[in-house]
Amino acid sequence: QVQLVESGGGVVQPGRSLRLSCGASGFAFSDYGMHWVRRAPGKGLEWVAVVGSDGTTKYYSDSVKGRFTISRDISKNTLQLQMDSLRVEDTAVYYCAKEGGSSGSDRFHFDHWGQGTLVTVSS
Amino acid sequence: EIVLTQSPATLSLSPGERATLSCRASQSVNNYLAWYQQRPGQPPRLLIYGASNRATGIPARFSGSGSGTDFTLTISSLEPEDFAAYYCQHRNQWPPDGTFGQGTKLEI
């Protein structure tokens, strides 16, 4: 079955960097777009970034653009999120999520999610 | 940029009652609207996609309706495990960002 397992979270000071990973299994990883979504304490879900199945189409929320970089390694079935210049407001649980299909409108929802990894930005 | 507005922010009901949650888009999203449930300490779970299609394994008491700008998630008879947060979400072909509503907390 589909499994997504995040890792790399932790406590980091403002201005520092952190790299999150998401290991994928149980599906053809190279066929699906992949996303990062976060939930800050006491807040709702916030979409963060997407990488297309082609590995080159990438898009970011305004709140992380220029600071975060999404990438995927097809050979290792892994999704990454490089987070630089971290801010206190980036504190959240970060989830990786798989698109619901490989084509058409099935790409427009997220059918599988990882358990999440907590990132805390604090001095 | 499309904005999704959910109402109410909090809904207080009892087991066995019917729940109606609303999601309004700032412009037409056709039927590209999904609903998720998130329980405390758990990741989100896909309930409904394409406005009205139940995801795999989702009980029949969950149903979605609407098109254009106004959408509804209905839970016909609440079970104790249904008390959680619910989010609507939309994504376009381009830009491929996944906008979420601010959520509705369904409480006992």
Side-chain angles (χ1 to χ4, degrees), chain A residues 39 42-44, chain B residues 4-13 20-23 35 84-87 101-107:
Chain A
R39 186 175 184 185
K43 300 284 186 67
Chain B
L4 299 177
T5 302
Q6 293 185 240
S7 61
T10 304
L11 185 58
S12 299
L13 292 170
T20 303
L21 288 67
S22 174
C23 177
W35 290 93
Y86 292 83
Y87 298 90
Q102 83 278 19
T104 290
K105 181 182 179 182
L106 179 55
E107 63 176 26

Side-chain angles (χ1 to χ4, degrees), chain B residues 54-76:
Chain B
R54 263 192 309 277
T56 302
I58 300 304
R61 64 180 182 274
F62 291 91
S63 63
S65 62
S67 65
T69 60
D70 290 295
F71 300 86
T72 299
L73 174 70
T74 301
I75 311 171
S76 59

Side-chain angles (χ1 to χ4, degrees), chain A residues 25-123:
Chain A
S25 61
F27 66 102
F29 181 68
S30 60
D31 287 351
Y32 294 85
M34 297 293 296
H35 298 247
W36 288 98
V37 177
R38 67 186 181 184
R39 186 175 184 185
K43 300 284 186 67
L45 296 173
E46 179 189 11
W47 178 84
V48 173
V50 58
V51 59
S53 58
D54 59 8
T56 57
T57 302
K58 301 177 182 180
Y59 201 78
Y60 302 90
S61 67
D62 287 344
S63 60
V64 308
K65 196 174 300 181
R67 300 187 298 120
F68 289 12
T69 303
I70 189 172
S71 62
R72 63 194 302 163
D73 185 336
I74 301 300
S75 66
K76 296 181 180 178
N77 277 11
T78 301
L79 175 72
Q80 291 100 21
L81 186 68
Q82 177 66 38
M83 305 186 294
D84 298 323
S85 303
L86 281 161
R87 304 168 180 169
V88 171
E89 55 265 34
D90 294 319
T91 295
V93 175
Y94 285 74
Y95 300 98
C96 62
K98 167 187 168 292
E99 290 183 350
S102 56
S103 63
S105 61
D106 282 341
R107 295 172 295 141
F108 297 171
H109 56 271
F110 312 130
D111 65 346
H112 288 87
W113 298 66
Q115 287 295 316
T117 187
L118 176 62
V119 173
T120 303
V121 184
S122 172
S123 55

